[in-house]
Amino acid sequence: MAIHPAPPAQADELPSAVGATRRTSRRLLGKLVLLAGAAVFLFPFYYMVVGSLQTEPDTSPGGAFPDPGNLTLRNYTEINSAISLGRSLVNSGVFTGGVILCTTIFGLLAGYALARLHFRGRGATFALLLLVQVVPFQLLMIPLYVLIVRDYGLADTYLGMILPFAINTTAVFIFRQFFLQLPQEMFDAARIDGASELQILYRIAVPLCKPALAAVILLSFTGPWNEFLWPFLVTKDAAMQPLAVSLANYISTVAASTANPFGVILAGACVLAAPAVALYIAFQRRFTSTDLDSAVKG
């Protein structure tokens, strides 16, 4: 049997190789663009941390790359002695935790009712929910202040800070939209088995809405954690003020008399931003994860 040599490479293999090279180049270019965007986005945080560690302020572009001999933790010590970071963090934590708890509970209940319960006026209630979202909080601040501070006497209390933020229409909307995506068969089967609506919500709906829970917790955290105006109005006692209010009072009254006001202010800003950044890093994977497939057998 004669052995024939292998045929030469086909001419159509060359375009495919060129196409693969182009796709690789596009992916590499896309990664470089994303890295450049991330660097631009993260630079203010980097500059904030570097500025909080400088002994002498350096506002020039070279201040982004400071001399190691100019770095210290003294600014954090000064801001702690001026406003008591521990007490302010506790106040912010109680305020924010109360808002998250109320927002999550009421959001779950209202979102489930609007998505899975059939009652008269459900459409009008949802339309009213969307209407409330366009009303700015500042428009309601004066009547809320009169109601909570003068009528209820809740000035300088955690409850007075939490009540205006206890129900978040955005959280209700997020839970409603997520519950609408769940298969109706699961709820029908649970009702046939005799489960109540609260049991269905707790045992079926809540375990499947982890991405929505993560989104609501993060959104509910960043708002009250950075909130300044309402806590400033209802808290006159410095021992009850959250960190954002304490830091603002420090900037307006004490900062000018310090040797490095910029460094001390940036140190307080780092402490204020650290919990939000840590929470986002901890919950970022929850935004894309879902357990819907495990609940439906095909």
Side-chain angles (χ1 to χ4, degrees):
M1 180 181 295
I3 299 177
H4 300 282
Q10 299 297 326
D12 57 352
E13 295 181 1
L14 182 59
S16 62
V18 174
T21 303
R22 290 178 178 175
R23 288 192 295 271
T24 303
S25 301
R26 285 196 294 267
R27 286 195 295 267
L28 181 60
L29 180 61
K31 291 180 179 179
L32 292 176
V33 172
L34 290 176
L35 286 175
V40 173
F41 176 77
L42 293 175
F43 181 77
F45 295 94
Y46 165 79
Y47 195 85
M48 178 177 64
V49 174
V50 170
S52 69
L53 296 174
Q54 291 181 351
T55 305
E56 297 294 336
D58 186 359
T59 58
S60 66
F65 307 97
D67 181 11
N70 193 34
L71 299 181
T72 182
L73 294 175
R74 181 179 178 183
N75 295 326
Y76 290 89
T77 304
E78 290 189 8
I79 190 66
N80 181 49
S81 61
I83 65 174
S84 183
L85 284 178
R87 182 63 184 176
S88 298
L89 285 172
V90 169
N91 295 335
S92 295
V94 174
F95 172 40
T96 305
V99 171
I100 292 176
L101 181 63
C102 295
T103 297
T104 303
I105 293 176
F106 292 128
L108 281 171
L109 294 173
Y112 179 81
L114 291 174
R116 290 301 173 184
L117 300 184
H118 299 281
F119 55 91
R120 182 175 297 179
R122 186 178 69 166
T125 303
F126 181 65
L128 182 62
L129 172 72
L130 297 179
L131 180 63
V132 171
Q133 288 184 324
V134 303
V135 178
F137 179 73
Q138 290 76 10
L139 188 64
L140 306 174
M141 192 167 296
I142 294 178
L144 281 174
Y145 180 84
V146 174
L147 178 66
I148 292 178
V149 175
R150 294 187 178 180
D151 295 345
Y152 294 163
L154 295 177
D156 288 320
T157 62
Y158 293 126
L159 187 59
M161 290 188 285
I162 293 172
L163 277 180
F165 305 94
I167 299 178
N168 191 327
T169 56
T170 302
V172 176
F173 179 79
I174 292 174
F175 283 124
R176 174 189 179 274
Q177 296 305 112
F178 192 89
F179 289 146
L180 286 175
Q181 299 175 7
L182 300 180
Q184 180 64 32
E185 292 78 7
M186 293 190 306
F187 300 94
D188 294 337
R191 294 188 182 99
I192 292 174
D193 291 338
S196 64
E197 295 298 334
L198 287 178
Q199 290 174 333
I200 296 173
L201 173 62
Y202 178 73
R203 297 181 179 179
I204 297 177
V206 172
L208 296 176
C209 69
K210 292 179 181 178
L213 277 173
V216 168
I217 289 175
L218 187 60
L219 291 175
S220 302
F221 177 88
T222 54
W225 184 262
N226 297 320
E227 179 65 27
F228 164 75
L229 188 54
W230 178 254
F232 175 77
L233 291 177
V234 299
T235 57
K236 302 305 179 182
D237 185 4
M240 289 295 301
Q241 291 176 343
L243 181 56
V245 179
S246 299
L247 186 59
N249 289 336
Y250 173 82
I251 293 174
S252 61
T253 58
V254 186
S257 61
T258 60
N260 184 9
F262 299 104
V264 178
I265 293 172
L266 290 177
C270 288
V271 176
L272 182 64
V277 174
L279 188 69
Y280 177 79
I281 294 175
F283 279 86
Q284 62 176 342
R285 293 184 179 180
R286 293 292 185 181
F287 295 129
T288 57
S289 65
T290 178
D291 297 328
L292 289 179
D293 294 337
S294 64
V296 182
K297 294 182 180 180

